[in-house]
Each structure stands twice: as structure tokens, then as C-alpha cells.
């Protein structure tokens, strides 16, 4: 079980900013920007290579929800970056699909 | 009209790696990794704050297509990073929704 599943099950604490039946969002414990939130599908999917066509709507809702969270956090107009890492070269550190929402400062280029 | 719309209309050249009725993908002209591709909805949407609920399936297909392009490019297993920038702090440089697909080297952290 990954750390994200343990957060979903309330086995370990997290600063949760959004939750519904399908998705959960909480603040990164090692934030790299003033706003740094992880948005996660509750169902376990190891990485985005594992997505199936039946996941299309869920992943679409994930992206729309990320922009709604940015609005709630007050960074929608100033700007933000969404990042999805896949496997080792991508820098994926937890084997459960998640999107990073980063903002509250100018994000630099290249993105890592 | 943005540079992406001019690429879609074949008014300026690009190294196109994928195209269907809804999406187009081409190599970034200032690549920040051995593989650096931009995947773009053909319909003009300025940024991800402008997405509507009716765009959910399209955005889901965009993410699934990004992972398929990573597979075609041979970076799915080694790993890659997807990046969507929104507005100034996000580093968005073209006012038309696009996802960066970066791989072929270890991506660093933080992501910019």
C-alpha cells in the first residue's frame, strides 16, 4: 500500500483541501512553492502508463478539478503549473497516479 | 491567432508526431530534454482555467494520448514528465492549452 492509500484511509494525517468519491487533494509535505498540492484518484493506478480508455472521464475530471483547486487557492489568475511524473526519469516517487499543483511564485523553465 | 493555430493550419512548419480530428502533437522548437513534444487541442482554449465541463472527455483523451506518445517515443518505461503551465507564474508562453511531454533524461526536482 502506498502512502497515498494510507492517507485516503486516514491511517496517516494529511492537510486535505478537497475530497469527493473519486478524488482527494492534500498539501505536499515537502512543498516546492507557496502552494503545492497533490491531487490523487482514490482508485489505485500505479502510473499514467496504466490508464485505460475507461479512465478517460476520471482523468478529465482530475484536470478540471486541479484548475478549480487553483481558483480556490487564489492562484488561478497569477498562474500555476500542473506536473504529472511517470516512472524513474519522470521523477515519480509514489507509485500511485497524482498531479502536482504548484503556484504562488513564478515557476522557472525548464521544468526540472 | 497563436503560433499553435498557425501550425494546425499548416501556415508554419512543425515536426508533427501525431494528429487526429481533436489533437495535434509536434516537437518543441526549443527542446529541454531529448524528447520534448507539445500536445495541443485543435480547438482554441486560452488556458486550463477556461476549460468547461463539456471539455472533460477531450482533456481526458489528451492525457491518455500523451502516455501513448511517450510509448511511441520509447520513453514510457524509462519515464517522462507531463507539464501544463497556466498564466504568468506557471510560465505559460502561448495562450492556447498545451501539455509538454518531456523525457529521455532524468527530470529534476523541483519542476522549475
Amino acid at each position: 500500500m502506498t502512502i497515498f492509500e494510507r492517507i485516503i484511509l486516514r491511517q496517516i494525517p494529511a492537510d486535505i483541501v478537497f475530497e469527493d468519491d473519486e478524488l482527494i487533494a492534500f498539501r505536499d509535505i515537502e512543498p516546492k512553492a507557496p502552494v503545492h498540492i497533490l491531487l490523487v484518484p482514490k482508485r489505485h493506478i500505479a502510473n499514467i502508463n496504466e490508464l485505460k480508455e475507461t479512465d478517460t472521464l476520471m482523468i478529465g475530471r482530475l484536470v478540471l478539478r486541479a484548475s478549480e483547486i487553483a481558483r480556490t487557492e487564489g492562484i488561478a489568475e497569477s498562474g500555476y503549473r500542473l506536473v504529472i511524473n511517470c516512472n524513474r526519469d519522470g521523477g515519480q516517487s509514489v507509485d500511485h497516479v497524482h498531479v502536482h499543483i504548484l503556484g504562488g511564485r513564478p515557476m522557472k523553465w525548464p521544468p526540472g
Side-chain angles (χ1 to χ4, degrees), chain A:
Chain A
M1 193 184 298
T2 72
I3 191 171
F4 292 166
E5 289 165 280
R6 296 189 63 199
I7 287 172
I8 292 163
L9 293 169
R10 302 298 198 276
Q11 292 180 352
I12 52 175
D15 186 356
I16 296 169
V17 298
F18 173 82
E19 184 171 19
D20 66 10
D21 288 348
E22 186 175 60
L23 306 172
I24 187 167
F26 44 88
R27 295 187 196 281
D28 196 303
I29 54 168
E30 293 183 27
K32 301 304 182 190
V35 174
H36 187 172
I37 289 166
L38 303 178
L39 177 58
V40 180
K42 288 183 170 178
R43 185 161 56 82
H44 182 262
I45 304 169
N47 60 55
I48 59 169
N49 289 337
E50 303 299 319
L51 291 172
K52 308 209 180 321
E53 203 175 324
T54 49
D55 298 316
T56 307
L57 265 171
M58 182 277 287
I59 286 293
R61 285 192 287 261
L62 184 90
V63 175
L64 266 78
R65 179 61 60 188
S67 74
E68 286 175 40
I69 289 171
R71 192 165 291 121
T72 306
E73 293 286 321
I75 57 172
E77 295 313 314
S78 52
Y80 56 98
R81 177 168 291 170
L82 304 186
V83 177
I84 303 176
N85 298 327
C86 184
N87 284 343
R88 195 189 57 245
D89 273 0
Q92 185 174 1
S93 56
V94 177
D95 287 335
H96 186 124
V97 167
H98 55 288
V99 55
H100 295 263
I101 306 165
L102 300 114
R105 68 165 173 89
M107 301 300 294
K108 294 190 286 285
W109 202 249

